[in-house]
Amino acid sequence: MTAPTAQESPRLIPVARGNLPALGHAYQLWRHTLPFLDSLRSYGGVVRINIGTLPVYMVTDPELTRRVLTSESRYFETGGRMGDNLALIFGNGVGTINGAGHLRQRRILQPLFNRSYITAHSDVLADAVRGRVSGWRDGAPFEAAAEMDRIMVAAFLKTLFGPTLPAPREEEFYRLLRTLMKGVMRKTVAPSWANRVMVTANREFDRALARLRGIVGSLIREGRENPGTVGGVFQAMLAARDPDTGEGMTDAQIVDEAVTMLGTTGEAPGTALAWALHEISRNPGIQRRVQSEVDAACWGRSPAHADLASLEYTRRVLTETMRHHGPGYLFTRWTTAPVDLGGYLIPAHANVAYSQYIVHHDPAVFPDPQRFDPDRWLPNALAVPRSSYLPFGLGSRQCLGENFSWTAMLLTVAEIAGRWDLHPHRNRPVRPVASTTVRPHHLTLTPRARTACPAA
């Protein structure tokens, strides 16, 4: 079946300015990521950029982005430049597989990520967060992006494998994932010829991938041979069955899914948390409001899942963080046939990209989009179309880890707010740097133990 083609003459798809010989737009995409993405909106709903000599059709219009992810998603399969590189890590996990295989894996995994399941495992998650945050030293600066990554990796590892996973293994998982996710973005935005000459970086990537998949494979064998030695979601994955056929997952499928979960639930929430702490630390009014709300809900004890519903302002801070500093800035798809997308005719087997950053900074939807304002998310304050806010995607491929991420981020901010005042360390400018996510560079914070909070 082919996609519908335009009945009238298709719109011309312009090529963005700044196309360099051999590099295309790769330099701008890598070195000036956010200003470059912002500039693409001025070309219209679809604009062509080049990575080396490879054409990529960037969708900039929120409504057209929604169609790519929902009503016309059958013509836009997961893949393309970034999707293919992620598949190097995730294999045939639910995040990279298409067609019937994707539907089957999603049916099996969905129950493990619903609200009730996450609630049942939230104590383990909260303990992991508390263990890290309580270990900070008064007045000792920390690098926020790395620390939040470690917190999210630790929280998800203990949720995934159970609370007995040794700390050295947690640190190894963290280092391996950082190497792999940085490598994915390098492979995505660099021209093909440049990737071929990055011999040392490619070897590090391959070694990290083999080690990560080897560790998860050994945990699977241990879990099958000695049930109870691993717990959490991982044990449930070993026992999970397709509701239609009753079949479970093979060991290879479980490796793919576990690695997919590790790769998608660590760095993105960690990056979002780092940006949230940046805004909290440099805006005393926001910090006081978050702390007051946490104090009223928890009264000096560590937050629990039952407290999260009371943290309305804290949730708005995180909602605005994921709009203003959304971790995901570039995602790709692969067209299965020629597609008429809003009058733009995109050829078959083409790389199509969309950007949460472009959508989230559309001034037609978000007035003064460069301003950080949690109160723009007050009830009835702003009518935002569903297609204009997509931190976890849309449609049949919407992130399975959304409930986990929200729970983990709220618990982390609440744990920090209840214990610490945060202050920027020196006046070093913080700038966004593109990796797999847009991370804050030079974001160092100093925690000070709170003296004016309810007694435990």
Side-chain angles (χ1 to χ4, degrees), residues 85-403:
N85 284 318
L86 285 172
L88 296 175
I89 303 175
F90 301 155
N92 290 320
V94 71
T96 52
I97 195 171
N98 287 297
H102 171 258
L103 294 176
R104 175 183 183 273
Q105 290 301 97
R106 196 169 180 98
R107 280 198 305 267
I108 294 174
L109 295 171
Q110 187 77 56
L112 308 183
F113 287 91
N114 62 30
R115 293 181 188 276
S116 60
Y117 198 91
I118 296 299
T119 300
H121 290 80
S122 61
D123 286 348
V124 172
L125 195 163
D127 286 344
V129 172
R130 186 182 312 117
R132 189 87 193 183
V133 173
S134 64
W136 294 352
R137 291 186 295 115
D138 192 346
F142 63 88
E143 203 285 311
E147 181 66 10
M148 292 303 102
D149 277 354
R150 282 186 164 90
I151 287 176
M152 286 298 95
V153 169
F156 187 70
L157 284 172
K158 291 188 182 300
T159 306
L160 180 59
F161 296 120
T164 60
L165 194 71
R169 180 58 57 83
E170 285 183 22
E171 184 62 24
E172 185 176 21
F173 270 119
Y174 169 77
R175 288 188 291 102
L176 293 171
L177 288 167
R178 290 292 301 133
T179 298
L180 291 171
M181 299 312 283
K182 284 193 294 184
V184 160
M185 190 47 61
R186 185 189 68 247
K187 290 173 179 287
T188 297
V189 303
S192 298
W193 62 264
N195 277 312
R196 288 194 293 271
V197 301
M198 296 180 186
V199 177
T200 300
N202 288 334
R203 285 177 179 168
E204 289 179 356
F205 181 92
D206 292 343
R207 283 196 296 267
L209 180 58
R211 176 60 179 161
L212 179 65
R213 297 182 73 86
I215 294 172
V216 176
S218 68
L219 289 169
I220 290 173
R221 291 189 294 274
E222 186 178 347
R224 292 207 188 276
E225 294 168 4
N226 302 292
T229 56
V230 293
V233 174
F234 194 69
Q235 189 63 49
M237 287 171 65
L238 296 176
R241 294 291 181 269
D242 186 319
D244 294 335
T245 66
E247 296 178 355
M249 290 186 285
T250 65
D251 287 2
Q253 288 171 327
I254 294 175
V255 170
D256 289 344
E257 298 302 352
V259 173
T260 296
M261 293 174 192
L262 286 167
T264 56
T265 55
E267 185 168 10
T271 299
L273 279 170
W275 282 118
L277 297 190
H278 170 60
E279 295 293 350
I280 288 170
S281 67
R282 70 175 184 161
N283 290 286
I286 291 177
Q287 182 156 214
R288 285 193 296 271
R289 287 181 69 178
V290 170
Q291 288 174 335
S292 296
E293 185 174 70
V294 171
D295 292 347
C298 303
W299 282 92
R301 57 173 172 76
S302 286
H305 191 275
D307 302 314
L308 301 187
S310 301
L311 304 182
E312 295 179 2
Y313 181 72
T314 305
R315 182 180 287 271
R316 293 204 301 275
V317 169
L318 286 168
T319 301
E320 177 70 347
T321 297
M322 288 188 286
R323 182 204 66 82
H324 188 55
H325 301 289
Y329 65 98
L330 186 69
F331 299 88
T332 62
R333 293 290 188 266
W334 179 254
T335 55
T336 59
V339 182
D340 170 22
L341 186 66
Y344 298 95
L345 185 58
I346 300 176
H349 313 305
N351 280 265
V352 175
Y354 68 95
S355 170
Q356 293 176 348
Y357 178 86
I358 293 175
V359 172
H360 291 170
H361 288 78
D362 187 340
V365 179
F366 299 102
D368 194 5
Q370 297 299 335
R371 178 170 56 93
F372 185 86
D373 180 13
D375 284 339
R376 74 167 79 234
W377 298 99
L378 281 166
N380 303 319
L382 182 67
V384 178
R386 180 67 184 91
S387 59
S388 291
Y389 188 70
L390 55 156
F392 297 97
L394 293 173
S396 63
R397 306 198 75 97
Q398 187 163 333
C399 179
L400 279 171
E402 180 174 359
N403 289 329

